[in-house]
Amino acid sequence: MKHKQNPARQYAVEAETTLLPFLLETVRDKSRNTVKGLLTRGQVLVDGQGVTRHDHKLLPGQTVTILPEIMKKAALPFPILWEDEEILVVDKPAGLLSMASDKERERTAYRQVTDYVRAGNPKARVFIVHRLDRDTSGVLLFAKSEGIKRAFQDNWESIVRRRGYTAVVEGTPPKQADTIRTFLRENGIHKVYSVPTGGKEAITHYKTVKQGKRYSLLEVELSTGRKNQIRVHLSEMGCPVAGDRTYGAATDPLHRLCLHAHELTFTHPITGKETTYRAELPRGFRKLI
């Protein structure tokens, strides 16, 4: 016997407020702890985008959606930004591999997402579409079939419209905004660096959002997706990502690499709809500036 899935609930925002007070006032059939759990598990959307921050600002005219209970069939230790029959989008934490390596096979985003989908269907599978460095947090996309994975990977440049990152870097960039274009090569100890010729072309765009005494906050967009591309380009510019000892950072203020994949925009290969998925900026980033 199949259980009937509860429909998603939608609520209109009529006055400026923040998310947790809005939910506590609106969803009166659930306790405060239950409402917090909805946020933690990624079951709350604002205008279709997953939000987990309790203090997320709401404006009149926005729509808050609570996903049905079936969406929390198993717990993930990080937020789900979106899930449907074809894809799963999560906010990967810093310090977690996207997929297995020679040294680590179990504690990966891929393993945890696989366990999540198999809790509902033991035969379910997920497929890696792209990767984030272990120490980079943010939006990570999985496919639920090999066909969808191939659709993304074979048409990546036409399907993916934007890969947006936020970085806290040491110092001040030489220009407020610029495009960095080099060729990258990896040496025998797996460190990437720029070369005049013979490497793979890498194109990085950045703009300075805010400057402080020791650090600058940058928005970065990729035209190519080479290994360690952002870290190499910003380091070679003279502004290594804070916490990036591998590429020359002198400080580690948050005890993590201060690089976050905050936005991914792509055209869904089945629906044809272009959608943007965003991961909230880590709280400590702005405090450094």
Side-chain angles (χ1 to χ4, degrees), residues 79-91:
I80 295 173
L81 303 178
W82 179 256
E83 182 179 10
D84 59 31
E85 293 183 358
E86 287 86 24
I87 63 172
L88 179 65
V89 187
V90 303
D91 182 359

Side-chain angles (χ1 to χ4, degrees), residues 254-271:
L254 298 181
H255 306 293
R256 58 156 291 178
L257 180 74
C258 292
L259 182 61
H260 179 68
H262 73 263
E263 183 174 303
L264 181 65
T265 299
F266 58 82
T267 302
H268 197 294
I270 298 299
T271 67

Side-chain angles (χ1 to χ4, degrees), residues 12-19 21-22 55-62:
V13 179
E14 298 180 354
E16 184 173 326
T17 183
T18 52
L19 188 52
F22 175 84
D55 59 353
H56 181 87
K57 188 176 181 180
L58 297 178
L59 298 174
Q62 291 184 308

Side-chain angles (χ1 to χ4, degrees), residues 5-11 19 22-23 27 30-31 33-54 63-76 78-83 88-91 116 278:
Q5 180 175 334
N6 295 325
R9 303 190 198 183
Q10 290 192 327
Y11 304 95
L19 188 52
F22 175 84
L23 291 172
V27 188
K30 298 185 182 297
S31 69
N33 286 339
T34 300
V35 169
K36 286 184 175 181
L38 295 174
L39 284 165
T40 302
R41 289 187 295 270
Q43 287 180 253
V44 179
L45 310 180
V46 178
D47 288 344
Q49 303 299 319
V51 176
T52 58
R53 289 272 291 271
H54 294 186
T63 300
V64 174
T65 302
I66 298 179
L67 296 179
E69 296 296 313
I70 192 70
M71 297 295 286
K72 62 169 187 175
K73 54 181 177 274
L76 270 176
F78 43 80
I80 295 173
L81 303 178
W82 179 256
E83 182 179 10
L88 179 65
V89 187
V90 303
D91 182 359
Y116 165 79
R278 296 185 179 91

Side-chain angles (χ1 to χ4, degrees), residues 73 85 110-111 113-127 143-146:
K73 54 181 177 274
E85 293 183 358
Y110 170 78
R111 171 60 63 186
V113 169
T114 297
D115 291 344
Y116 165 79
V117 299
R118 285 183 175 171
N121 176 6
K123 295 182 179 181
R125 297 179 66 190
V126 293
F127 298 82
K144 289 188 173 181
S145 70
E146 190 165 6

